[in-house]
Every structure is written in C-alpha cells, then in structure tokens.
C-alpha cells in the first residue's frame, strides 16, 4: 500500500507537467480544467459503484489524469477570467491560494473523522457531490465570463484524446507494476531536464537565466514536497504503531 501511495503521490506532482503541455499545445487552459474536473468526478463515481481493489486502481489512475490537467492550469484559467488591469485581481488571486491551502489543511481532518465515524463510502459520496457542484460552477463561469475564445481544430481534439488515453494507460500500468516505477521516474526526470535544456537554448539570455532560476527553485520544491509527503506515509505508520493516539477517551 505504501508503494501504491508513493506512485500516486509522485504521479500527482510529475504529470501536471504533461497536463500543462497538453493545454499549451493542444487545448486551452479552460478546456483542460473542465476535462480535469470531469475526470476527477468520474473517478469518485467509480468508487461509488464498487469498493474493491481493482476499482481503487482505476480510481487512482483516472484521478491522477484529472489532477494532471487541472493542477497545472487552474491558476492560469483564473487569470483568464480576471481583468488584468484591475488591482483587485491580485487580491482575488491571494484569496484563491489562501482558501486552496486552507482546504488542503482542514480537508484531511474532516475526511478522517467522516471515514472513522461513518465509512469511507460516505467520504467518497461527499467528494463526488462537492466535485459535481464544482463542475457546475466552472462550466457556468466559462460560458458567461470568459471572453477569450480559442477555436480548436478537430485534429487537436483527437491528439488530446490520444494523449489523455496514453496517460490513463500509463498510470494503470505504473500502479499495477510498482517495482518498475522507479526506473520510469528516472527516465521521466531525464526527459524533463532535456526538454528544459531544449527550451532554454531557444531563448534569449535574460529568459534563459530566468528559466535556470525557476529550475533551481523547482528542485528545492521537489525536496520540500518529498519531506512533507512523509507525513502521509512514514510518519503515519510511526504514529499508528508507536504512539497512543487517544485523547480524552476519543
């Protein structure tokens, strides 16, 4: 289970790079966000159908694909919705990140209580309902407020579908064969570094320095998230095995 969680966590941080490339080259940010939300909604619907190991594997794969499209494009999509010349836009971005991080902190506590006191199925149901509401809000906002419309050729839709299907199959294989996952991660890192070098070579001196600086910052961020995710794996095992976790008979 720890190996599967490791695969899920790694893909959740690596594949948004691919999701961003799909949005930039094939789709736009708004369509990538919508498709990502739909994949997340479908993933929880899979868990509601049947709570077995196979369906959990399918859920993880579909959810990771949804994250890869949503995670790398939601902030850019919000920027498209906001007025660039309005000073309040910066404040709205601040609120966006503040509430997103607040949910990341409070969510595990709430869902932990729901899962323990009721059932995991109840937590899955709540997630499905909230995601459905989110989809309705995003789809209605896209139609009413987004003024930038990009026509996408039929060929790009086909390539997007093929890319997303390839991501889904790759996720299922990596979840199933966790032993070979570390080698695939090494290849993925080499590919990303080569791609960054290719882009940097095409830029001018100023943009090249900025790209190098961002790459260094991202490397430090990777180590930070590697340590922070130990809370959900190594630290969680230590707490469950070595600590007395009852407070005031609760």
């Amino acid at each position: 289970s720890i190996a599967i969680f490791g695969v899920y966590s790694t893909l959740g941080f690596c594949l948004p790079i691919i999701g961003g490339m799909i949005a930039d080259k094939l789709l736009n940010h708004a369509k990538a966000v919508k498709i990502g939300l739909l994949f997340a909604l479908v993933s929880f619907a899979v868990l509601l159908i049947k709570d077995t190991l196979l369906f959990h594997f399918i859920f993880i794969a579909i959810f990771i694909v949804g994250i890869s499209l949503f995670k790398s494009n939601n902030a850019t999509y919000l920027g498209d919705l906001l007025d660039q010349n309005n000073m309040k836009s910066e404040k709205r971005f601040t609120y966006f990140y503040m509430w997103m991080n607040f949910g990341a902190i409070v969510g595990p506590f709430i869902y932990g209580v729901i899962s323990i006191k009721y059932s995991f199925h109840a937590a899955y149901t709540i997630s499905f309902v909230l995601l459905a509401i989110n989809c309705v809000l995003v789809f209605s906002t896209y139609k009413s407020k987004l003024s930038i419309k990009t026509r996408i050729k039929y060929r790009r839709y086909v390539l997007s579908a093929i890319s997303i299907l390839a991501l889904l199959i790759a996720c299922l294989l990596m979840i199933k064969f966790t032993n070979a996952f570390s080698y695939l991660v090494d290849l993925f890192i080499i590919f990303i570094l080569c791609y960054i070098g290719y882009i940097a070579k095409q830029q001018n001196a100023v943009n090249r320095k900025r790209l190098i600086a961002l790459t260094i910052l991202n490397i430090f961020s990777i180590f930070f998230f590697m340590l922070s995710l130990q809370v959900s794996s190594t630290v969680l095992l230590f707490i469950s095995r070595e600590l007395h976790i009852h407070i005031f008979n609760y």
Side-chain angles (χ1 to χ4, degrees):
S1 60
I2 291 296
I4 294 173
F5 178 78
V7 172
Y8 163 75
S9 302
T10 305
L11 293 178
F13 283 99
C14 290
L15 290 189
I17 300 173
I18 307 297
M21 293 170 66
I22 292 173
D24 288 337
K25 304 296 184 181
L26 301 175
L27 300 170
N28 56 39
H29 300 110
K31 285 184 172 60
V33 166
K34 291 199 301 180
I35 294 171
L37 282 174
L38 285 175
F39 266 84
L41 186 65
V42 170
S43 68
F44 279 99
V46 168
L47 280 183
L48 293 177
I49 294 171
K50 200 169 185 180
D51 192 4
T52 62
L53 185 60
L54 175 61
F55 277 75
H56 271 271
F57 284 168
I58 297 172
F59 155 74
I60 293 172
I62 298 175
F63 190 69
I64 288 172
V65 173
I67 287 177
S68 68
L69 292 168
F70 179 82
K71 204 173 192 180
S72 54
N73 297 294
N74 60 341
T76 309
Y77 167 65
L78 180 62
D80 292 337
L81 292 174
L82 297 176
D83 184 4
Q84 301 297 322
N85 298 319
N86 192 343
M87 294 299 293
K88 291 183 179 179
S89 296
E90 184 177 348
K91 185 183 292 186
R92 288 167 181 168
F93 258 105
T94 303
Y95 286 143
F96 166 71
Y97 278 106
M98 181 181 72
W99 285 110
M100 183 172 63
N101 286 293
F102 177 77
I105 294 171
V106 176
F109 290 100
I110 296 175
Y111 277 85
V113 172
I114 293 172
S115 301
I116 293 172
K117 292 203 69 171
Y118 300 99
S119 66
F120 284 103
H121 195 271
Y124 301 153
T125 304
I126 292 172
S127 298
F128 178 81
V129 172
L130 292 177
L131 274 170
I133 295 172
N134 198 5
C135 285
V136 172
L137 292 174
V138 170
F139 276 64
S140 61
T141 303
Y142 173 78
K143 290 179 180 178
S144 61
K145 293 185 178 180
L146 190 60
S147 59
I148 302 173
K149 294 183 179 179
T150 305
R151 290 186 178 180
I152 300 177
K153 295 180 179 179
Y154 177 75
R155 179 171 169 269
R156 290 193 176 187
Y157 278 117
V158 174
L159 290 175
S160 300
I162 293 172
S163 301
I164 292 170
L165 181 61
L167 276 180
L168 184 61
I169 294 172
C171 289
L172 282 170
L173 291 175
M174 284 185 277
I175 294 167
K176 180 64 176 176
F177 303 103
T178 55
N179 294 331
F181 179 70
S182 59
Y183 300 105
L184 294 174
V185 171
D186 293 338
L187 292 174
F188 182 79
I189 292 171
I190 293 171
F191 166 74
I192 293 300
L193 291 175
C194 292
Y195 184 73
I196 292 172
Y198 171 74
I199 295 176
K201 190 176 179 180
Q202 296 178 328
Q203 305 297 318
N204 56 40
V206 175
N207 287 338
R208 195 177 298 117
K209 288 181 180 178
R210 290 173 179 172
L211 194 58
I212 292 172
L214 285 173
T215 304
I216 294 172
L217 288 174
N218 279 322
I219 291 172
F220 281 105
S221 298
I222 289 170
F223 282 102
F224 166 76
F225 282 109
M226 283 172 59
L227 294 174
S228 66
L229 287 171
Q230 296 303 309
V231 174
S232 303
S233 54
T234 309
V235 176
L236 187 62
L237 284 176
F238 174 78
I239 291 172
S240 63
R241 293 174 180 176
E242 305 295 336
L243 295 182
H244 182 68
I245 58 176
H246 298 283
I247 301 176
F248 301 116
N249 294 323
Y250 180 77

